[in-house]
Amino acid sequence: MKNFALMGASGYIAPRHMKAIKETNNNLIAALDKFDSVGIIDSYFPNADFFTEFERFDRHISKIKYDKNIPLDYVSICTPNYLHDAHIRFALRQGADAICEKPLVLNPWNIDALAKIEQETGKKIYNILQLRVHPSIIALKEKIENGPKDKVYDVDLTYLTSRGHWYYTSWKGDESKSGGIATNIGVHFFDMLSWIFGDVKQNTVHINTHDRSAGYLEFEKARVRWFLSINYDVLPDDVKDRGQRTYRSITIEGEELEFSGGFTDLHTVSYQEILEGKGYGLEAPRTAIEIVHKIRHAQPIGVKGEYHPFVKKPLVDHPFKTNL
């Protein structure tokens, strides 16, 4: 049984990590979050110590290590994106391996700096890339690898996940903290595409605003038109009519990739692979981090070239402009 600590216990994704720790028969000994709405811990580890201040959390980890001889094996990191780098460093310097949510970091050079900390401490950094362990995605990768060697596939990626006005007040609405739309909700899709279709040859951005981002990516084996948004208004009418607020679609050569199910256990599978020494390490997400970094700093070219059809959907003002 390995000992875990969890940083970022009150967020949306944290329960999946608690569940994964529990289902792999390990123990959560301490958790941290500035917010104390973390009753979900009782469903998994009611005896875990909980802290709202980093300094007390840090001290506690050291005390139980040296006073009670309780080692910390892993730190699971579910904190806001801009804190991942610092919290990974904390984990390694506490003598633990780090398991971090995506995006691993916001900038490609952060990966290089973390590699030095890995070498210095002898500890490992793992990234949760759950789409890489999704059965449908694995099957697609195998199909592409076994297909015609010189074929370049036409792909459309559409991911619309509606968010309310709270989003713009939270850290997620601050590009300096989240990395913007493409990083916050798209990085795992870009990782999946690069994992399947190879190196990036072209990265063009058509639009990049507070509520949507779209562009064209060319990989060794795919031409990808992509569109991401958090605006409810861009959802197709039939999706709205069904009372849904999320729409996810990936078409390859006009054929829909079905991968809507099977998400509930992917974190557990990821943890199992990490515990077996087969998890995705520091270098695995580099291409995706480079993609979103370039998107964030690119000058959008507008409606021209190989653009996603949704690019023509009307833009709306930032909601805060009407509330100030």
Side-chain angles (χ1 to χ4, degrees), residues 58 119 162 168 172 175 181 287 299 312 317:
D58 181 14
Q119 185 175 17
S162 306
Y168 300 102
K172 295 182 179 183
E175 187 177 276
I181 297 289
T287 299
Q299 179 63 45
K312 289 189 172 182
D317 282 340

Side-chain angles (χ1 to χ4, degrees), residues 162-170 173 181 209-212 229-233 245 315-324:
S162 306
R163 298 289 185 265
H165 288 186
W166 66 267
Y167 185 94
Y168 300 102
T169 305
S170 77
I181 297 289
T209 72
H210 63 283
D211 71 347
R212 69 195 68 189
S229 179
I230 58 167
N231 191 327
Y232 175 80
D233 292 336
R245 295 182 58 83
L315 294 170
V316 296
D317 282 340
H318 193 303
F320 264 23
K321 286 184 179 178
T322 59
N323 294 337
L324 290 176

Side-chain angles (χ1 to χ4, degrees), residues 219-231:
F219 297 92
E220 287 180 301
K221 292 188 175 183
R223 294 178 289 262
V224 181
R225 302 184 303 178
W226 58 270
F227 184 93
L228 311 168
S229 179
I230 58 167
N231 191 327

